Amino acid sequence: MFNSIRSSITSIGEQINDHAEHVRVKSDRAFSGIIGSSDAGGVAARKHRIQEGLRRANNARDEYEKEGLINWEVGEGEYMELPRGSVASLVSAAYGACDDESGFVDVLGRVEKDLMAGNVIKISNDNMGKDPKPGTRKVLRVKYRPASARINITANEGQDVHLPPHAAEGILSASYGDGNTQKDITLELQGALLIAPGKPVHVSNELFGDPAPGKPKMLSVSYDPSRTRQAFKLQTTKELATFGLVSPWLFRDLCSTVGVTMKSLYASLVDEELTGGEKEVSGKSGEVFWFSSDRKFVLKTIADAEIATLVRMLPEYTAYLAANPDSMLTRYLGVFSLDDNGISTQFVVMNNIFEGAPHMDVMYDLKGTTEDRWVDPEPGKCLKDNNFAETTAYFDDDAATGIHRTITSDTKFLEKQGIMDYSLMVAISRDGGKFQRNPATARFSKFMGGIKGTEANGVTEDTIQEVTYFIGMVDMLVTYGWKKVAAHIFKSSTIGMNEEIDTVAPDRYASRFRAFVGIKVRGVSEKCVVSTLGAEPFVTPMPALGRSGGTAAFFKATYREGVPDPEAQLSRNYWIGKDLARAKDEVAFYEVAKTLQGAEGWDVLKWMTPYKGVCRCPCEVKAGEEAKPVDVMLLRNGRDGYQTCRMLDVKIGQVTAVAGWQGKSALSAWMQTNTIDAVTNSAGQGFRLEGFDSPPETLHTFEELLTEQKLLKTTAVSAAKVKRFNLQRMTACQFVSYFLDLHEVPKAKAGGGYPSSSASVGNALPYPEPGLLTRVETQELVLLSSIEELASLIKAMREVQAPQQWIGSSVMFCFDCGARPSREVLTRGPRKWGVSRLHIFDWGRSELNLPQAHARLEADQQVERQKYWSHYCGAIGKLLYDCCNLYVSRYWHAKKTIAFTVWDKDQFTPDDFLGTVALPMPTSGGPTAGTHELSTYSGDPVKSGMLRGTTGTIQATVSALNLIPGSRLEGVATVKIHKIENCPKKDAMSPNDTFVEVTAFPEEPAVVKEGVKRPEVQSLLRLGAHLTSLKIDIAVPVFEEEFELATLTEEARKPLLRALATAFGEEGASDADVQARVNLLFHNTVQGAANEQKASSSRNTFLTKCFPGVEATLSVASSFSYR
């Protein structure tokens, strides 16, 4: 790893090697370089020198533009040299002290010959012939007309080209190629000269590309030697300060490109005094800012390394702005330096991106990161990303699209330059949208100078207002040098686990920056405003109901009598209230979804939990305390109309937490991925059972084994966590079996024995009851309803217009396990049974990715959305497959055999097989009770006892059950398990923990007995099995538990076939064709039993039929989960 890091640092270091001695952390050095003295006089003196230097530069500009003269000054003790051939005529040469303009003497005759010949002259009193002002350093000032002749240079491939140190200023054109093919390499050559000034340039394909492969090539350069750097001397008591112009000719070209004349630029800088001179308040660098008196331009001190970066990229920067006139990048219009008494300070002149703003109510410096991005708000203080977290900026759709496209282009340019750490500056004028844009202030870009928009600091009307935005990108001169690389390595393993760090490579920085802007800058059509409701229709205060996952509180929402709302006519408890304080992200999702209801391609939102809006009303937050006003989201009450609502919360996704997604930290995402996702059914089937309301008594008995005090003390884990982990490990077949379980688990009487009928909670109903469905009819119809909804959901998901990233959302299955449905429901038909509900909910970390928003995303972000959408689709497909597999196993084939399989439950290891027996399915007659010997898989009797002389047995009663005509089922049998005796002891220190699984097969008992010798048939014993309760540490377990087994009538098969046709997108297929698919995809008979490879292939085939192109990369979860 360290060799790789060292290699990266070395590679980056080579690019900035020539400037390495200048690279240093930006600090208060810049401030001290300008302000220096702590007294007001020192501050004023230094500001005066900067202003004087700008005036001198302006005078020189004026002389050049009017008379074609160039000014050059060198101090006493220094040297002057003008390149030979660069001067047409020397107009004047004067020697004297800067603070005594009248004392300058003419020395043209003494220096003209040497300067015209290109000789070096040392500036001294002796060489100038006199001392105009003894005791003070003097200056030689020359004015000359540059030669108009260009110098043309050629060099063959493989040769070196030698040009003067500042030759990049004078490069007019450069081309590379053979006689027929030429490539313009002006920018490449300028860049090479700027990176390594004064060093020879090696002519090669590596530097310039290969426009004519296999042919000898030549470099041709046109060079203007008169384009030299300029500097002026300023008097400071008895010493001289040097005010220099850095790359003035390149900046002159840049100004011309962006429509700024040098005359107008200097007029703003020198006509009146500069204002400001304060340290930057938004950052750590300590830079100092000045403003031109007309507020058009900003002067800012910058570090040497940043100057090197700017000068290096000037040619490409100029070309980029020429091609992108509406770029939001700051226009750097000049760089100047001041060397004063040994202190060197550089500053850049740039356009004021806030020009034209009448006032700014708030200003933000945004980087798209979270590390150290909070500022305690104070008047006039620049805020940062975390202050902006609750804000979204909305613009006209065309403007928003333009901003995104421009930001994308700008950041790609900066990425190419190796630049990171830049910011989007946003100033907001809360003027109610009354600002009138002045075209003159928008001359640099149509996105500068003020854009009307909407500021949303929440999702309710009172948090949204019309404003004017002033925006632009700044601080774009920091490269990913070795210090940034080192900081990245350190931060990634520390604060990077909880924050989005700022020190990342340019490509990552650019991508993250664009993603941030994509979220925070939106078109007005995407604006989300919460539907607010009054509290009057509801009984208040709303009582508390509990919390979701220990965070969001829920409240009971009850309509008052006589309220005319449509939902109130259906049920007074139609809605439930969820505390908005813990669901702000979720409510935004619901509001956007409401606007898409009924729109083409968004039928998938029909499965979203119905949402009405937000209501502020008094709520009983804590028992015994006075009610407090709470903003509550009104969501469909899943329990409405149910005596006992049994509910599954199935969290969808192989990955349910993504670093950086919707505020998830890297550490939190890593913890969830590695401690939950990776060890639960999320890693097995792409979903996991997260919650189970009103579970059957059977499940409680298994949980008792897991939550034994001895075990909890040993593992130091709470009972609630153990139970939850047990749920999370279950496969769909397992938790759907529990979901459908309606059988009675009798409780032991105090004196011993069992009552004939004592149901668990939710099952205490007289049975059978005329006019109501039996347990098996209810189970079949609830499962069919769930399958129909999942199939229709899959169809809708295929039609979604853009891939979604619904991280952490859940599918809810629920039905009333406390009251069986009326037989009238059988007359309603497919998808109208009304016996269960299926919704998708928990949208806190999800987004609705609209097509226009998806188009704005980076390619890697689009790939990311597609990846997680594939995960989501695949998980829903697998969930449907398991539901169908269970349905076919239980109800599809006419049953001929009932198999009982006895197990010993273990806490941490696979269950121990105790024995099995296969009995014929009763077709008529009364109950048949009997004691049946258990066999091993190989058919041998199960033996126990000291000498293995006792045979294990199961006592059970089976009988046929005749259903009322019109039922969807036939061939119904009831099976009652009484007790298990004489099974071999598997637990060393205690009796077995015994349970029984009941499975029905379409083959004769003899075929089943022979089949269970094969592993694939042994697996079938568990697929679709009905499960007894668990008898813990009981040598002779007594159950007295009854189950019902049945088969669909021929007519009753059609809804499943139609559902599968819908899931496969084959609505026009015949029932016979779909039936053929059922036979191929589901292996639920002894004769058709499939090994794991074939079963996996069938699952994958099913999945690709539902979602073509989605690969089934997940396998069925381990059987480690506790039944």
Side-chain angles (χ1 to χ4, degrees):
M1 174 182 178
F2 290 103
N3 287 335
S4 174
I5 294 170
R6 190 181 300 113
S7 174
S8 299
I9 295 174
T10 301
S11 174
I12 295 168
E14 289 174 353
Q15 300 177 34
I16 60 170
N17 186 56
D18 296 303
H19 304 292
E21 68 275 13
H22 299 297
V23 178
R24 54 184 173 270
V25 178
K26 293 186 293 182
S27 65
D28 283 347
R29 178 209 59 75
F31 183 68
S32 64
I34 294 294
I35 303 302
S37 173
S38 60
D39 63 281
V43 173
R46 291 180 184 277
K47 178 183 174 183
H48 171 75
R49 289 177 197 128
I50 292 172
Q51 197 93 51
E52 179 60 23
L54 290 171
R55 291 193 180 100
R56 293 290 309 283
N58 183 45
N59 292 337
R61 174 211 55 81
D62 190 57
E63 288 188 295
Y64 176 77
E65 292 180 354
K66 290 180 178 179
E67 305 177 45
L69 297 181
I70 292 179
N71 285 258
W72 190 253
E73 298 184 1
V74 177
E76 183 180 355
E78 299 174 354
Y79 298 87
M80 177 176 282
E81 176 188 10
L82 296 176
R84 183 172 183 148
S86 65
V87 179
S89 63
L90 197 62
V91 176
S92 67
Y95 184 60
C98 291
D99 60 351
D100 184 9
E101 293 291 332
S102 62
F104 273 80
V105 296
D106 184 0
V107 293
L108 181 61
R110 300 185 67 89
V111 301
E112 182 174 18
K113 181 178 180 181
D114 282 335
L115 290 178
M116 292 297 291
N119 297 330
V120 178
I121 299 176
K122 182 176 181 179
I123 313 305
S124 66
N125 293 331
D126 291 340
N127 288 337
M128 298 301 106
K130 60 181 67 178
D131 185 354
K133 189 173 183 179
T136 302
R137 281 191 70 192
K138 273 73 68 179
V139 169
L140 173 63
R141 291 177 177 172
V142 300
K143 297 181 181 181
Y144 66 90
R145 286 189 174 85
S148 58
R150 296 183 179 185
I151 298 176
N152 295 315
I153 301 172
T154 60
N156 292 322
E157 183 181 356
Q159 293 182 333
D160 289 339
V161 176
H162 295 267
L163 292 167
H166 304 301
E169 300 269 3
I171 298 295
L172 301 175
S173 65
S175 62
Y176 180 60
D178 65 354
N180 298 318
T181 305
Q182 292 289 318
K183 177 185 178 183
D184 184 354
I185 50 91
T186 304
L187 296 180
E188 290 89 336
L189 181 59
Q190 286 178 323
L193 293 169
L194 289 168
I195 289 175
K199 291 189 176 182
V201 176
H202 186 68
V203 181
S204 66
N205 296 332
E206 182 179 357
L207 183 60
F208 302 127
D210 190 353
K215 297 180 181 179
K217 289 164 283 292
M218 177 182 290
L219 171 68
S220 299
V221 181
S222 180
Y223 166 61
D224 182 354
S226 68
R227 287 192 162 201
T228 60
R229 290 197 174 191
Q230 293 178 283
F232 305 94
K233 298 297 181 179
L234 309 175
Q235 195 71 49
T236 64
T237 62
K238 295 183 179 181
E239 270 301 324
L240 293 175
T242 301
F243 186 86
L245 284 69
V246 180
S247 299
W249 301 99
L250 291 179
F251 277 108
R252 181 182 288 270
D253 293 341
L254 190 154
C255 287
S256 177
T257 297
V258 300
V260 175
T261 66
M262 301 307 294
K263 181 178 181 179
S264 64
L265 174 64
Y266 277 106
S268 293
L269 297 177
V270 303
D271 281 358
E272 294 185 31
E273 293 293 309
L274 301 174
T275 62
E278 301 296 328
K279 281 190 178 182
E280 181 186 16
V281 295
S282 64
K284 308 173 185 176
S285 56
E287 289 106 340
V288 182
F289 285 82
W290 285 275
F291 292 88
S292 62
S293 60
D294 57 11
R295 307 293 288 186
K296 291 182 178 179
F297 303 104
V298 178
L299 287 75
K300 176 186 176 184
T301 59
I302 61 174
D304 297 345
E306 292 179 281
I307 290 181
T309 299
L310 176 56
V311 171
R312 169 185 59 77
M313 75 174 191
L314 261 177
E316 290 190 71
Y317 176 55
T318 302
Y320 176 78
L321 293 178
N324 299 272
D326 287 318
S327 166
M328 294 172 65
L329 300 179
T330 300
R331 273 45 169 189
Y332 292 117
L333 304 173
V335 172
F336 303 89
S337 63
L338 176 65
D339 293 319
D340 187 358
N341 293 315
I343 299 175
S344 178
T345 303
Q346 294 79 32
F347 58 93
V348 64
V349 176
M350 53 193 177
N351 72 303
N352 178 10
I353 60 173
F354 297 147
E355 180 186 1
H359 67 279
M360 293 180 290
D361 292 286
V362 64
M363 179 170 61
Y364 296 94
D365 176 334
L366 305 174
K367 294 180 180 289
T369 179
T370 58
E371 178 207 347
D372 195 23
R373 301 300 294 168
W374 171 265
V375 173
D376 291 333
E378 294 178 13
K381 209 168 189 179
C382 185
L383 307 181
K384 298 185 180 181
D385 297 67
N386 291 339
N387 302 92
F388 197 71
E390 299 297 323
T391 302
T392 303
Y394 292 98
F395 298 91
D396 174 84
D397 284 351
D398 290 340
T401 299
I403 290 171
H404 289 134
R405 287 176 178 171
T406 302
I407 291 286
T408 296
S409 178
D410 288 348
T411 53
K412 286 184 176 179
F413 168 76
L414 296 177
E415 179 184 338
K416 180 182 176 183
Q417 301 300 319
I419 290 172
M420 40 79 71
D421 209 27
Y422 41 85
S423 300
L424 179 68
M425 294 298 296
V426 177
I428 301 176
S429 177
R430 294 171 178 146
D431 54 6
K434 298 177 181 179
F435 175 77
Q436 295 299 315
R437 181 184 175 98
N438 181 352
T441 63
R443 61 191 181 281
F444 293 109
S445 168
K446 66 182 180 182
F447 301 115
M448 295 181 183
I451 313 177
K452 291 183 179 181
T454 303
E455 177 191 15
N457 291 308
V459 289
T460 56
E461 285 285 1
D462 60 347
T463 63
I464 299 174
Q465 57 185 319
E466 300 300 311
V467 299
T468 301
Y469 289 97
F470 297 84
I471 56 178
M473 290 175 64
V474 300
D475 294 343
M476 48 197 208
L477 297 176
V478 177
T479 57
Y480 195 53
W482 67 269
K483 289 187 178 180
K484 293 292 186 182
V485 174
H488 171 76
I489 294 170
F490 173 73
K491 290 181 179 180
S492 296
S493 58
T494 52
I495 59 176
M497 297 302 290
N498 285 301
E499 303 282 355
E500 273 287 341
I501 62 175
D502 53 1
T503 49
V504 294
D507 58 342
R508 167 63 181 145
Y509 193 94
S511 176
R512 185 178 65 190
F513 190 87
R514 291 190 289 266
F516 174 80
V517 174
I519 293 172
K520 290 298 183 179
V521 175
R522 295 182 177 270
V524 68
S525 63
E526 299 176 75
K527 184 162 64 175
C528 169
V529 180
V530 164
S531 307
T532 55
L533 310 166
E536 296 79 12
F538 300 98
V539 175
T540 57
M542 290 186 178
L545 292 176
R547 292 182 177 270
S548 171
T551 55
F554 281 84
F555 301 93
K556 183 179 181 181
T558 303
Y559 276 114
R560 297 181 187 274
E561 291 281 1
V563 172
D565 284 9
E567 297 86 5
Q569 308 309 307
L570 298 174
S571 171
R572 292 182 61 197
N573 297 308
Y574 192 88
W575 304 110
I576 191 172
K578 184 176 183 180
D579 187 357
L580 183 62
R582 294 284 185 172
K584 290 182 179 179
D585 292 332
E586 194 170 2
V587 75
F589 184 98
Y590 278 115
E591 288 293 347
V592 175
K594 281 181 69 175
T595 67
L596 297 172
Q597 294 282 2
E600 183 179 358
W602 290 104
D603 280 354
V604 69
L605 297 178
K606 293 178 181 178
W607 283 267
M608 177 185 75
T609 302
Y611 159 79
K612 188 171 182 66
V614 173
C615 170
R616 173 168 291 183
C617 61
C619 293
E620 297 175 351
V621 178
K622 288 186 178 180
E625 293 186 4
E626 186 177 348
K628 298 178 181 179
V630 177
D631 289 324
V632 295
M633 288 172 51
L634 293 176
L635 301 172
R636 180 69 170 107
N637 181 6
R639 297 173 173 80
D640 176 40
Y642 290 170
Q643 289 187 20
T644 305
C645 179
R646 179 170 292 172
M647 183 184 298
L648 298 179
D649 173 353
V650 184
K651 191 162 290 292
I652 304 298
Q654 177 184 0
V655 176
T656 59
V658 178
W661 176 252
Q662 305 287 52
K664 199 74 168 181
S665 71
L667 177 60
S668 178
W670 184 90
M671 289 291 292
Q672 186 158 324
T673 298
N674 289 277
T675 63
I676 299 178
D677 294 344
V679 296
T680 63
N681 196 44
S682 293
Q685 293 181 295
F687 52 82
R688 66 174 180 266
L689 181 60
E690 197 68 17
F692 198 157
D693 288 0
S694 303
E697 182 65 22
T698 306
L699 180 58
H700 288 312
T701 64
F702 280 83
E703 290 175 338
E704 288 177 14
L705 179 67
L706 301 177
T707 56
E708 285 183 328
Q709 289 302 310
K710 179 174 61 176
L711 172 64
L712 296 182
K713 289 179 180 179
T714 303
T715 59
V717 178
S718 70
K721 288 183 177 180
V722 171
K723 291 179 181 179
R724 186 177 184 186
F725 186 61
N726 175 46
L727 298 180
Q728 292 171 333
R729 293 283 290 182
M730 289 183 184
T731 65
C733 274
Q734 291 171 336
F735 64 67
V736 173
S737 292
Y738 278 125
F739 179 65
L740 299 173
D741 186 1
L742 295 175
H743 91 279
E744 299 176 357
V745 179
K747 299 292 186 181
K749 294 188 294 186
Y754 289 84
S756 59
S757 178
S758 178
S760 60
V761 174
N763 292 314
L765 300 168
Y767 189 82
E769 179 72 19
L772 301 180
L773 298 183
T774 62
R775 283 192 288 269
V776 69
E777 288 177 304
T778 303
Q779 292 168 327
E780 181 272 328
L781 205 54
V782 167
L783 183 53
L784 174 63
S785 296
S786 301
I787 289 171
E788 289 177 331
E789 291 305 307
L790 285 173
S792 296
L793 172 61
I794 285 173
K795 176 185 177 182
M797 291 171 69
R798 285 198 302 267
E799 297 170 353
V800 172
Q801 298 179 349
Q804 305 297 307
Q805 192 160 334
W806 293 349
I807 302 297
S809 68
S810 296
V811 173
M812 174 187 73
F813 297 79
C814 61
F815 79 103
D816 189 354
C817 67
R820 287 189 297 281
S822 165
R823 303 198 71 81
E824 177 272 333
V825 300
L826 297 178
T827 65
R828 299 177 184 177
R831 291 202 68 198
K832 299 177 183 178
W833 312 111
V835 296
S836 66
R837 295 173 185 150
L838 186 148
H839 294 301
I840 307 177
F841 70 106
D842 202 357
W843 302 103
R845 296 195 184 276
S846 300
E847 70 165 4
L848 269 176
N849 187 26
L850 305 180
Q852 60 268 36
H854 187 71
R856 293 197 301 261
L857 296 176
E858 293 292 298
D860 60 335
Q861 293 174 316
Q862 291 181 348
V863 170
E864 191 85 342
R865 298 296 191 281
Q866 188 60 59
K867 179 181 79 172
Y868 288 113
W869 186 233
S870 294
H871 285 183
Y872 203 94
C873 292
I876 296 296
K878 294 182 182 74
L879 187 56
L880 175 60
Y881 180 85
D882 266 23
C883 287
C884 291
N885 206 11
L886 181 62
Y887 189 84
V888 171
S889 177
R890 286 194 174 183
Y891 308 114
W892 201 254
H893 303 285
K895 307 301 188 289
K896 295 181 180 179
T897 297
I898 302 173
F900 300 92
T901 309
V902 185
W903 300 87
D904 168 51
K905 166 56 65 181
D906 287 331
Q907 291 174 325
F908 298 111
T909 57
D911 302 336
D912 295 320
F913 171 75
L914 296 179
T916 185
V917 62
L919 304 178
M921 186 83 168
T923 58
S924 62
T928 302
T931 300
H932 310 282
E933 294 186 352
L934 297 173
S935 301
T936 64
Y937 286 140
S938 61
D940 298 326
V942 171
K943 296 294 184 178
S944 65
M946 184 70 68
L947 300 176
R948 298 292 175 183
T950 306
T951 302
T953 61
I954 179 171
Q955 291 183 15
T957 299
V958 296
S959 62
L961 177 65
N962 295 320
L963 296 180
I964 297 173
S967 173
R968 292 174 41 79
L969 302 177
E970 62 185 5
V972 181
T974 59
V975 178
K976 190 166 189 177
I977 301 172
H978 302 291
K979 65 179 177 179
I980 306 294
E981 291 183 296
N982 304 322
C983 279
K985 189 170 178 292
K986 297 292 184 178
D987 294 340
M989 304 301 294
S990 64
N992 292 334
D993 305 314
T994 310
F995 68 98
V996 182
E997 291 179 330
V998 182
T999 316
F1001 289 97
E1003 291 89 358
E1004 297 291 346
V1007 176
V1008 175
K1009 291 176 183 177
E1010 183 64 26
V1012 295
K1013 297 177 181 179
R1014 295 152 42 204
E1016 53 266 33
V1017 178
Q1018 295 167 17
S1019 297
L1020 282 184
L1021 289 173
R1022 312 206 76 172
L1023 174 64
H1026 297 265
L1027 200 67
T1028 68
S1029 60
L1030 179 67
K1031 303 304 180 181
I1032 301 174
D1033 293 344
I1034 299 176
V1036 180
V1038 177
F1039 295 94
E1040 300 300 336
E1041 298 177 29
E1042 188 174 82
F1043 302 91
E1044 295 172 352
L1045 310 174
T1047 303
L1048 289 164
T1049 66
E1050 189 67 29
E1051 184 66 21
R1053 293 185 177 194
K1054 292 182 179 180
L1056 177 71
L1057 298 177
R1058 291 298 91 208
L1060 288 176
T1062 298
F1064 297 159
E1066 299 175 348
E1067 286 88 340
S1070 67
D1071 287 350
D1073 289 340
V1074 183
Q1075 173 67 65
R1077 291 195 186 280
V1078 171
N1079 296 337
L1080 291 174
L1081 293 172
F1082 304 105
H1083 313 283
N1084 308 105
T1085 65
V1086 173
Q1087 295 175 339
N1091 58 28
E1092 180 52 36
Q1093 182 178 0
K1094 184 177 179 180
S1096 178
S1097 176
S1098 295
R1099 287 192 296 269
N1100 292 347
T1101 299
F1102 183 93
L1103 179 61
T1104 53
K1105 290 296 296 180
C1106 294
F1107 297 104
V1110 174
E1111 295 184 7
T1113 57
L1114 304 177
S1115 61
V1116 174
S1118 164
S1119 59
F1120 176 74
S1121 57
Y1122 299 104
R1123 300 288 310 209

